[in-house]
Amino acid sequence: MNGIRITDVSYQINGTAILQAVSFESDAKRIAILGRNGSGKSTLSRLICGLDQPSQGTIRIDNIDVYKDRRAALDMIGMIFQNPDHQIIFPTVIEEMKFGLTQMGFDKLEADRRAMAYLKTFGKADWRDRAISTLSQGQKKLLCLMAILAMEPKVIILDEPLAALDIPTQRQLTEILQSLPQTLVYITHDTAPIQDYDVAIWLDQGKIVETGSPETLLPKFIDEMNRIEVL
């Protein structure tokens, strides 16, 4: 893959700047976007997926403009939302698993086959007809991940994937994520999950403060967070 190229990207809502002149380029397999709440991380993740249009600038993955070429972006990028209830739209597991595949153009039989293959891979074949309302928060996040993986994207955007999960579930999901061959873009305010990532981008107030290896960037970020008084 040619990597992710973000060029002079700004984003405004009703005249308020959320992101300002963000530029970044990398072909790394593990990319972290780090910042406090309200720094613009989630907005940037939606732009990288092509869900929203930048007010200025471009975002390309593998030389594809993710907003202008939605079909190619759908094939290439998947996203796990911070809250799975904002992502899941169907009442049963198999319906949710098949939705993205049918959107990609697979017929119902092939979509069903692919969906079941991934459920079996994760040992969840018995979830097929299960009502999503019976799943725990961690199980819902796993469902979202399986549904995205069934679409076989090259890049997966993870928006605070461990939020609201208990420690055993966090550990299990982290192990799964670490094993994936895809490029991961991990959106977080927590430094612990990204210690071993290839590169980190520190966002604050919609601007890049610094880009570098976690080894050099995270101590600076932690020092700044400890310095800030919020009350």
Side-chain angles (χ1 to χ4, degrees):
M1 198 182 82
N2 294 330
I4 297 171
R5 185 180 304 156
I6 301 170
T7 307
D8 196 29
V9 164
S10 296
Y11 185 76
Q12 297 181 351
I13 298 178
N14 298 325
T16 300
I18 309 300
L19 294 171
Q20 302 177 60
V22 172
S23 293
F24 172 77
E25 185 174 345
S26 178
D27 60 0
K29 294 286 288 182
R30 297 291 184 264
I31 300 169
I33 299 177
L34 182 69
R36 299 174 63 195
N37 291 338
S39 62
K41 306 186 305 297
S42 291
T43 297
L44 182 56
S45 70
R46 289 181 60 85
L47 294 174
I48 293 172
C49 284
L51 297 176
D52 295 322
Q53 182 179 18
S55 304
Q56 170 186 307
T58 59
I59 298 177
R60 292 181 174 273
I61 297 180
D62 215 5
N63 210 31
I64 291 169
D65 187 310
V66 296
Y67 184 79
K68 291 183 178 179
D69 194 341
R70 292 299 301 133
R71 169 58 67 180
L74 182 65
D75 292 345
M76 181 169 295
I77 312 161
M79 181 172 176
I80 310 298
F81 287 58
Q82 181 174 347
N83 185 342
D85 292 324
H86 294 165
Q87 185 162 356
I88 294 169
I89 58 176
F90 287 95
T92 67
V93 167
I94 191 63
E95 288 175 296
E96 187 66 28
M97 288 288 298
K98 289 165 60 175
F99 175 66
L101 294 165
T102 56
Q103 291 293 104
M104 293 175 70
F106 292 105
D107 63 39
K108 292 181 180 180
L109 285 176
E110 180 61 14
D112 193 281
R113 188 193 69 78
R114 286 184 175 234
M116 284 307 301
Y118 273 89
L119 287 171
K120 289 174 183 176
T121 296
F122 283 86
K124 305 299 182 186
D126 60 327
W127 282 16
R128 177 187 171 89
D129 297 313
R130 187 166 172 179
I132 289 172
S133 60
T134 68
L135 300 179
S136 70
Q137 198 76 350
Q139 289 171 329
K140 288 178 182 178
K141 288 219 173 173
L142 178 58
L143 170 58
C144 290
L145 179 60
M146 290 189 295
I148 292 297
L149 290 175
M151 297 167 69
E152 300 182 352
K154 293 183 178 179
V155 179
I156 300 176
I157 313 296
L158 304 160
D159 190 357
E160 300 281 9
L162 304 183
L165 300 182
D166 60 31
I167 291 175
T169 306
Q170 286 186 11
R171 183 173 62 248
Q172 183 181 21
L173 188 57
T174 297
E175 290 172 357
I176 292 170
L177 294 175
Q178 288 174 339
S179 70
L180 296 178
Q182 283 92 345
T183 295
L184 301 184
V185 180
Y186 197 119
I187 314 296
T188 186
H189 66 274
D190 184 3
T191 59
I194 58 170
Q195 300 278 345
D196 297 327
Y197 269 50
D198 300 316
V199 63
I201 307 164
W202 176 2
L203 272 185
D204 189 57
Q205 297 182 350
K207 299 178 180 179
I208 291 181
V209 176
E210 188 172 339
T211 301
S213 70
E215 183 179 10
T216 58
L217 188 146
L218 296 189
K220 298 178 185 178
F221 176 79
I222 292 169
D223 285 347
E224 179 64 13
M225 295 305 102
N226 289 333
R227 186 189 66 80
I228 293 172
E229 296 182 2
V230 295
L231 299 179

